[in-house]
Each structure stands twice: as C-alpha cells, then as structure tokens.
C-alpha cells in the first residue's frame, strides 16, 4: 500500500503539469482573477512540495533514508 502511495505521490505532479496540461488549456473559468491554465499551474506549484513532503515521510517511516 505504501509503495502504491509512493508511486502516486511521485507521478501526480508530472501528470498534472505535463499530461493534463492540454486539457486545462482554456481561459474560462476565471479563478481568483487568473485564467484557468495559470490557476492550474500555480495550484500545482503549491501542491508539489506537499507531494515531496509525503514522499519524504513515507521513505523515513520505511527506514529508506540513511
């Protein structure tokens, strides 16, 4: 289960910023004064460190970090 979560946390930022990008490339809706594409990119810039933190904690709990 931890291995699957680790894979999801590693791949989520890449999938969200590279694979999904053509599908969110639109101006409408406007969220917080930003076109949707800019909001999407900003959102993942904020979420990526949390994914990295989750990866760190998973590896630390497994004793993989030395």
């Amino acid at each position: 289960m931890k291995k699957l979560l680790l894979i999801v946390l590693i791949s989520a930022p890449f999938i969200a910023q590279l694979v999904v990008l053509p599908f969110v490339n639109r101006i409408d809706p406007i969220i917080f004064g930003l076109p949707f594409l800019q909001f999407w990119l900003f959102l993942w810039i904020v979420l990526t460190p949390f994914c990295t933190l989750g990866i760190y904690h998973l590896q630390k709990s497994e004793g993989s970090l030395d």
Side-chain angles (χ1 to χ4, degrees):
M1 183 64 182
K2 286 186 178 183
K3 183 95 169 171
L4 178 64
L5 183 59
L6 187 65
I7 291 170
V8 168
L9 287 173
I10 290 171
S11 61
F14 293 105
I15 291 172
Q17 291 182 14
L18 296 176
V19 176
V20 181
L21 199 62
F23 300 107
V24 298
N25 188 11
R26 56 182 49 111
I27 294 173
D28 291 323
I30 303 291
I31 303 172
F32 299 122
L34 296 171
F36 187 69
L37 176 63
Q38 287 179 331
F39 173 76
W40 181 262
L41 292 173
F42 180 73
L43 176 70
W44 279 99
I45 288 172
V46 172
L47 291 179
T48 299
F50 290 109
C51 291
T52 306
L53 182 67
I55 293 166
Y56 172 76
H57 283 297
L58 280 173
Q59 288 183 340
K60 189 176 179 182
S61 71
E62 291 176 355
S64 300
L65 299 175
D66 291 328

